Structure formats: structure tokens, C-alpha cells
Amino acid sequence: MTLIKSISGIRGTIGGAPNEGLNPLAIVKFVSAYATFIRQNSPCASNCIVVGRDARISGLMVKNIVNGTLIGLGFNVIDIDLATTPTTELAVITENACGGIIITASHNPKQWNALKLLNNRGEFLNAAEGQAVIKLAEKEQFEYVPVERLGKIISDTRYRERHISHVLGLQLVDIEAIRAAHFRVAVDCVNSVGGIVIPDLLYALGVKELFKLHCNPHGNFSHNPEPLPENLTEISSLMKQAKADVGFVVDPDVDRLAVVCEDGEMFGEEYTLVAVADYVLSACGGGNTVSNLSSSRALRDVTLQHGGQYFAAAVGEVNVVAKMKECGAVIGGEGNGGIIYPASHYGRDALVGIALFLTHLAHKKLKTSELKASYPQYYISKQKIELTPDTDVDAILLKIKDKYSSHNITCIDGIKIDFPDKWVHLRKSNTEPIIRIYSEAHTMAEAESLGQEIIREIKAPVSI
């Protein structure tokens, strides 16, 4: 059993002994610590915390424990139940709540679940705040209220509809253009909460015909839930059979968006952000953009074409958001298909991504594959090394840094080595016990070769 405490929240496998995994005792402890932190630090006068969940099998169990714990600490709970991560973020803002908890392990398999922790702005806690919560949990520095001060549960399941209305009302979402394009759209929602919000969004946007895969929110994921090409063979086949114009795939909590071309080929997670940024920058007359260090250079290229500046941030939504605010970015996100559009809110949002992408596609009057071909072509290889309890990650990073010290190296998040025509980035994952090794070049063969070169260097014995 595994429990990971990081900037991405408290994430673990369900079950195990009291000191293992995301079991009921761990949930009570970390929720208690989070609520105590919020009470001590939130500038918001509200005594409400929003709780939403994806459709994981363990979701209802975890939610009941979360809600009971918050009530025991004297908080009122606004329970929005099945809701996407961005829906919960927007609910915190709308309710003027002092925080929020999203019960989701994002792209992890069904045996995982997690607590994603939000501040009163509907944004993730930063690293320092997350560490403060962990310390409170370790020391058990929290106190429950007497019976007279117990909180209460306020159930409100209307936020999915409110989120859709919010997206439809964004200035750059052109519903008339989408409707006029008569799009035929396929979706794969991996049997989680996307299955009950993405179809409704697409119908509201006026798509002509919708072909649905795995839209029953029962939590038995139909395939590995991470929206990577090797997991998306079904929708690839469906695209050709249905003669669909575009396909959309979301992860279990709907903050990542993958696009599929009409010929069944992947548009590429990296290019979700590139295409949406191209549209936003063209509509805004330019502006700054941000993505993380593991994202494609294509965003930088497109930003420069529009006369803006590109900035890189450490991996993690909270880091990208901080950099976006710092440089006044009009669009940003992560190369995993995460779109952050400040005109909506500072959180990755696949609903916003779908609406902006369809608007762009309708305006361009191109096939999806033609739109992809219009952008600078890069290929990213995503490899990894499994960690053991004895793995010294810092020593590995130092070894690689020394080996490539003659090149341009960035150390704000692991090690990124920039070559003139390619790059490689290795860092310890926030969500899994692995070292991620991402590399990019103008061909997939070059990218994979660069990643393998780094893996060989890591595994090579140290010279004495």
C-alpha cells in the first residue's frame, strides 16, 4: 500500500494497515490537519468548505469520512458530490467558501484516491502551505468541537450545470460558430464524472452529433485512465467508423484534455494547449503564456509568432498559476492537456478547453489533422524509472547535472537540459513513486533516443 504526501495533495491506494495507504484513519488525520490550517490561515470569514468527488469506487466512502471529519471540526460542508475538479474550484469561488477538498486521484488507476486541497480562491495550496498541513497531521495538532458547535451538510448538486453555463458565457466561446460547423464529436470519459458533464456541455455548444464511449460514472475505468495514446485505441477506431470530426478524452476528474483527429490519430496532449493558446492569443492580439518545464517548445514558438513572451514554470498546477499571475499570462497550462484560462479561473479545466478548441476549429474551417499540421512539429517521449525505498533521487540528479554541465541546465524542478534542437527533463513525480524522464525533439526516434541515453547514464555504475 502507498501514501504520497506532496504539493499535489494526499494520494494513496485504498486499504491496508493503519500506517499504510489512504485508509479511513489517514483521511481523518489529513482532513483534520487541513481544516485546522484553513481555520488558522484563511482570510475568508466563511465557515464553509466545498467537497466534490470524481466517480471512483472508493469516492463515496472517502467523501462520507471527509464530510464527517469537517463537521466534527465545526465546519459547514457544501457537498456538491459528483463534480469535476474545475467544477469544485469554481464552487469555492461562487460560494465564497474558505476552502475546498476534491476527492480524486486524477489519472491514477481505480485502486487510488486522493485529497486535493484548495484555498479560498479555489486554487491548490502551495508547497509551504501543503507542508504546514502535513506537519499538523504528523503532530495531530487539531481539536474537535463540542456537540453544540458541530457543522452541517448542505447538499447542492447543481454545480455541474452552473459550470457549463459559466463556460458558455465566456467571451471567446463562439457558440454560433460551433453550431454552424455541424461538428460530429466522439468522447471517451473513462466511466467517471466526465460522462455526466462533457456530453451535456457538447450538446449545449450545439454539436450536430455525439458518439459516446465509457460515459457511465460507475468508477470501473474501461482502460488505464491516463489519456495517453496507448490507452486510447478504442476512440481512435471509433473516429474512423463514425466519421467524427474531432474526439475528446478526459481523465477521471476532467482537468486534462486529449484531442483525437478525424483520422483516428492523436492530436497530442501537448498540442491541446498549443492550439487553444493560438486561438486565445489571436483573439487577444498577443500576450504572455506559461507552461511547465516538461511541456513542448511549440507553445513558445506560437507565443513568439503572436508577439508575446513565453515563461516556464516548475511542474505542478500551483507553480504554473503562480508564474501566470507573475507575468500576466492570458493563457497557460501544462503539456498533459491541462488548460488554465484566467478569464475563467486559475485552474486546469477540460470544459473550457473543449469550448475554446471547438471555437478555434470552427473559425479555422480546417480538419482537426490539418490544424495540428499547422503548428511547429515536435515529438515528446515520456519514459520513467521506478523508485525503490533505497533510491537516492538527489544523487541521480546531481550525477546527470555533472555529466551535462556544459549545456544549458535548469534546476528549478529536477534537471532540465536544453540542447539547441531538443531537450530532456528528469524529475521525481509528485503523484507516483517514479522518476519521470521527458524528452523532446523533431522526431520521435530522436526524442526516445535522448531519453534512453539519460536512463543509461542513470543506471551506469559510478566511476571511482
Side-chain angles (χ1 to χ4, degrees):
M1 298 297 169
T2 304
L3 185 67
I4 300 173
K5 297 167 271 188
S6 75
I7 193 172
S8 298
I10 310 302
R11 185 178 303 231
T13 49
I14 298 297
N19 61 343
E20 297 176 339
L22 191 69
N23 55 54
L25 292 177
I27 295 166
V28 169
K29 183 163 70 172
F30 285 107
V31 171
S32 298
Y34 164 74
T36 300
F37 173 84
I38 289 295
R39 177 154 284 140
Q40 293 172 350
N41 295 279
S42 176
C44 183
S46 164
N47 192 46
C48 292
I49 291 177
V50 176
V51 176
R53 68 179 179 96
D54 71 13
R56 287 170 186 274
I57 297 168
S58 62
L60 184 59
M61 179 272 288
V62 176
K63 186 192 79 167
N64 288 338
I65 297 169
V66 168
N67 288 355
T69 303
L70 292 173
I71 290 170
L73 284 149
F75 282 93
N76 294 327
V77 176
I78 301 173
D79 181 0
I80 65 173
D81 200 39
L82 285 173
T84 74
T85 282
T87 302
T88 308
E89 293 167 346
L90 283 167
V92 171
I93 299 167
T94 302
E95 295 287 346
N96 293 313
C98 56
I101 297 177
I102 310 164
I103 302 166
T104 174
S106 191
H107 64 272
N108 287 62
K110 67 179 182 180
Q111 65 266 30
W112 290 76
N113 215 326
L115 309 172
K116 291 186 175 182
L117 310 176
L118 304 175
N119 60 24
N120 66 295
R121 298 184 300 278
E123 300 166 14
F124 291 122
L125 302 187
N126 62 34
E129 292 165 339
Q131 283 301 314
V133 170
I134 290 171
K135 287 182 180 178
L136 286 169
E138 289 172 347
K139 296 179 180 179
E140 298 189 356
Q141 291 181 332
F142 32 80
E143 186 173 339
Y144 303 100
V145 301
V147 67
E148 295 83 7
R149 292 171 51 202
L150 291 174
K152 61 183 179 180
I153 293 178
I154 304 161
S155 295
D156 189 342
T157 58
R158 296 169 295 172
Y159 267 98
R160 295 192 299 272
E161 291 77 15
R162 291 175 184 146
H163 189 176
I164 291 172
S165 295
H166 166 84
V167 172
L168 298 179
L170 293 172
Q171 185 176 359
L172 295 189
V173 174
D174 190 340
I175 301 172
E176 292 307 314
I178 294 170
R179 184 175 290 116
H182 302 293
F183 286 128
R184 295 162 61 88
V185 179
V187 296
D188 179 349
C189 298
V190 75
N191 289 332
S192 190
V193 69
I196 53 175
V197 66
I198 299 301
D200 286 350
L201 169 70
L202 290 166
Y203 286 131
L205 287 169
V207 303
K208 179 183 178 182
E209 197 166 0
L210 185 60
F211 305 92
K212 297 190 288 186
L213 275 177
H214 312 306
C215 288
N216 297 313
H218 49 58
N220 279 304
F221 302 145
S222 48
H223 53 75
N224 185 309
E226 188 164 13
L228 299 176
E230 59 266 29
N231 302 327
L232 305 181
T233 55
E234 258 189 289
I235 192 169
S236 179
S237 298
L238 176 63
M239 294 299 297
K240 291 172 278 190
Q241 294 167 8
K243 294 182 171 56
D245 299 300
V246 62
F248 296 117
V249 184
V250 294
D251 63 340
D253 67 326
V254 200
D255 61 355
R256 290 172 59 174
L257 174 65
V259 180
V260 188
C261 298
E262 79 287 345
D263 56 5
E265 294 297 314
M266 298 297 116
F267 193 82
E269 269 194 307
E270 295 290 332
Y271 283 85
T272 302
L273 175 57
V274 173
V276 171
D278 181 32
Y279 169 56
V280 171
L281 290 168
S282 63
C284 295
N288 296 339
T289 66
V290 174
S291 64
N292 67 39
L293 287 171
S294 286
S295 300
S296 176
R297 281 183 180 174
L299 178 62
R300 178 203 64 181
D301 295 352
V302 167
T303 303
L304 294 175
Q305 288 170 7
H306 285 285
Q309 284 186 279
Y310 166 77
F311 298 85
V315 173
E317 183 175 318
V318 66
N319 298 316
V320 174
V321 166
K323 180 60 73 172
M324 289 178 70
K325 290 179 178 180
E326 179 186 318
C327 69
V330 297
I331 188 74
E334 299 189 279
N336 59 11
I339 304 294
I340 302 174
Y341 182 45
S344 171
H345 65 115
Y346 278 105
R348 296 184 304 182
D349 192 332
L351 281 77
V352 170
I354 287 171
L356 293 176
F357 187 95
L358 283 177
T359 300
H360 188 35
L361 194 63
H363 287 176
K364 285 288 189 179
K365 295 181 169 60
L366 296 173
K367 292 181 179 179
T368 309
S369 60
E370 293 170 341
L371 181 63
K372 167 66 184 298
S374 71
Y375 296 121
Q377 294 301 298
Y378 295 99
Y379 296 84
I380 285 187
S381 170
K382 299 182 178 182
Q383 303 178 59
K384 62 186 178 182
I385 293 179
E386 302 285 343
L387 298 180
T388 69
D390 299 325
T391 304
D392 188 339
V393 176
D394 291 337
I396 289 172
L397 297 180
L398 182 59
K399 175 183 177 181
I400 298 300
K401 181 180 178 182
D402 290 343
K403 172 72 176 180
Y404 294 91
S405 59
S406 61
H407 297 279
N408 184 15
I409 293 178
T410 304
C411 299
I412 62 172
D413 183 10
I415 298 292
K416 182 174 184 179
I417 308 162
D418 272 296
F419 304 92
D421 58 345
K422 56 191 174 183
W423 57 259
V424 62
H425 183 206
L426 56 158
R427 55 179 290 276
K428 185 178 180 181
S429 171
N430 289 327
T431 59
E432 299 176 68
I434 60 175
I435 293 177
R436 299 190 187 276
I437 301 172
Y438 288 8
S439 49
E440 182 178 67
H442 286 291
T443 70
M444 182 56 79
E446 289 180 279
E448 290 179 346
S449 177
L450 179 56
Q452 284 297 313
E453 177 185 331
I454 295 298
I455 290 173
R456 285 194 298 271
E457 292 291 346
I458 290 172
K459 292 183 176 179
V462 177
S463 301
I464 300 176

